[in-house]
DNA sequence: AAGCCCCTCAACCGCACGAGT
DNA sequence: CACTCGTGCGGTTGAGGGGCT
């Protein structure tokens, strides 16, 4: 038995919103709020719309402080950086860009930013940046220490620091897109720790814990081996130590572009940093095509590799002091 | 001027999850 | 524990506008 539809599709209006509908919705929410029930809202507000449609319209368009228009280069950089780290988690990326919606960012990425990046690397150059991940992993110095991470279920990523990072090279890109200095306060966690002057909201660094989003919660499952980085209510990004790993080895996570490699050894997918070390709990249950090759659009993966690749080191360098993002936690 | 193509972005769709019962 | 319901998310679609021939 299939799920009941969220609304009677025959009796709801679809398609573009009229100014009148916008006004009705805005007026109602201004007066009464959403009431925590989007399904009932359209009827109460006198709208012949599906609740989901109302929610979307509000969140993406009518909500106060929505920023429309051109994305700045800082925003571009943040999007690229986060995309390379967490993939197409648009809501999380949006949480780092005040005023931007996930839909906006998704559209922007798909229509412009991806092409912009591809433009940075013409096809001939692109090849040199397409890293065979197993090669990367093999080439990584065995002495380097690393962090592994995994996806738990479909919605959580577990970073499992096994020791402090040392394998992170400076993030580097040729274009001004990614090479100009940080000047934004839009994503404080992407700035260097030294220049971190405090987030506008909901970044809790007091206890060296990073929290995304306004409703973020933070928890530690065992106090010594796990640190959650949570966004909103249900999507937890856990930075946790492997079983028995000493807490002091979790001193530093560098939120750069090189943290995440994908190790496809024996079919199990692992998400790790630098040397690809994996400590058992780094197993990825591949999320819907996010990292994998089978269902993932190759272009997407290619872009991620471009972002993640270090290039030849000459024309591809980033200012180390500006870009070596560090996130400390204990 | 007309027709075609491409791009953008608002909106829709289906799925997964958490809460409630 | 199983089920329903509401919500949030990411992927996809398609209307409309602009550019090109």
């Amino acid at each position: 038995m299939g799920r009941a539809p969220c609304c009677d599709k025959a009796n709801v209006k679809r398609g573009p919103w009229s100014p009148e509908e916008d006004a009705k919705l805005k007026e109602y929410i201004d007066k009464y709020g959403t009431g925590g029930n989007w399904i009932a809202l359209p009827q109460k507000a006198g709208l012949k719309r599906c609740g989901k449609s109302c929610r979307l319209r509000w969140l993406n368009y009518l909500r106060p402080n929505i920023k429309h228009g051109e994305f700045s280069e800082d925003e571009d950089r943040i999007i690229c950086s986060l995309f390379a780290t967490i993939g197409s988690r648009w809501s999380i990326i949006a949480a780092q860009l005040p005023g931007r919606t996930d839909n906006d960012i998704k559209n922007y990425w798909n229509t412009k930013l991806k092409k912009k990046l591809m433009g940075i690397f013409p096809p001939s150059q692109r090849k040199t940046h397409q890293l065979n991940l197993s090669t990367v992993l093999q080439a990584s110095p065995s002495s380097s220490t690393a962090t592994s991470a995994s996806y738990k279920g479909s919605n959580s990523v577990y970073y499992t620091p096994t020791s402090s990072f040392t394998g992170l090279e400076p993030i580097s890109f040729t274009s001004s897109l990614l090479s100009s200095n940080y000047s934004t306060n839009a994503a404080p966690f992407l700035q260097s720790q030294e220049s971190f002057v405090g987030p506008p909201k909901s970044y809790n660094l007091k206890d060296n814990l990073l929290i995304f989003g306004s409703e973020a919660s933070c928890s530690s499952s065992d106090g010594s081996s796990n640190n959650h980085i949570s966004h909103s209510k249900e999507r937890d990004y856990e930075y946790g130590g492997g079983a028995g790993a000493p807490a002091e080895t979790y001193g530093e996570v560098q939120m750069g572009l090189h943290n995440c490699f994908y190790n496809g050894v024996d079919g199990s997918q692992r998400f790790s940093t630098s040397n690809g070390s994996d400590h058992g709990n780094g197993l990825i249950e591949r999320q819907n095509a996010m990292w994998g090759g089978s269902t993932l659009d190759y272009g997407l993966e290619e872009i991620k590799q471009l972002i993640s690749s270090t290039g030849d080191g000459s024309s591809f360098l980033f200012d180390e002091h500006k870009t070596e993002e560090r996130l400390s936690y204990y």
Side-chain angles (χ1 to χ4, degrees), chain A residues 149-179:
Chain A
S150 67
Y151 276 91
K152 187 186 73 173
S154 62
N155 284 327
S156 299
V157 62
Y158 282 72
Y159 287 81
T160 308
T162 55
S163 63
S164 61
F165 287 123
T166 59
L168 183 73
E169 288 87 17
I171 304 159
S172 49
F173 285 90
T174 45
S175 115
S176 62
L177 167 69
L178 293 164
S179 62

Side-chain angles (χ1 to χ4, degrees), chain A residues 88-264:
Chain A
S88 56
R89 310 294 293 275
W90 304 118
S91 59
I92 294 172
I93 295 172
Q96 311 311 312
L97 300 172
R100 300 293 188 186
T101 68
D102 53 356
N103 210 32
D104 257 357
I105 294 170
K106 183 171 56 183
N107 282 332
Y108 180 58
W109 172 266
N110 285 328
T111 59
K112 293 179 183 171
L113 201 48
K114 195 158 74 176
K115 289 171 191 167
K116 208 166 166 183
L117 268 178
M118 297 304 278
I120 294 169
F121 304 94
S124 56
Q125 194 184 352
R126 217 174 283 160
K127 274 215 149 141
T128 65
H129 294 299
Q130 287 173 7
L131 305 180
N132 178 322
L133 291 176
S134 60
T135 305
V136 170
L137 297 173
Q138 283 166 16
S140 300
S142 59
S143 60
S144 70
T145 55
T147 291
S148 62
S150 67
Y151 276 91
K152 187 186 73 173
S154 62
N155 284 327
S156 299
V157 62
Y158 282 72
Y159 287 81
T160 308
T162 55
S163 63
S164 61
F165 287 123
T166 59
L168 183 73
E169 288 87 17
I171 304 159
S172 49
F173 285 90
T174 45
S175 115
S176 62
L177 167 69
L178 293 164
S179 62
S180 65
N181 291 346
Y182 280 113
S183 60
T184 182
N185 58 5
F189 97 87
L190 287 172
Q191 298 178 19
S192 69
Q193 200 173 19
E194 292 85 345
S195 62
F196 199 115
V197 293
K201 63 170 186 179
S202 73
Y203 294 90
N204 178 4
L205 284 182
K206 198 170 68 176
D207 300 310
N208 291 320
L209 293 169
L210 177 66
I211 303 172
F212 295 109
S214 56
E215 300 169 1
S217 64
C218 195
S219 64
S220 175
S221 63
D222 68 8
S224 65
S225 65
N226 282 290
N227 290 289
H228 282 212
I229 293 184
S230 300
H231 168 256
S232 191
K233 67 175 186 183
E234 74 259 68
R235 309 229 168 184
D236 286 352
Y237 279 62
E238 268 190 27
Y239 287 69
E248 61 267 24
T249 63
Y250 309 146
E252 190 173 74
V253 174
Q254 297 180 342
M255 294 292 288
L257 297 180
H258 302 289
N259 291 0
C260 313
F261 291 102
Y262 195 53
N263 187 358

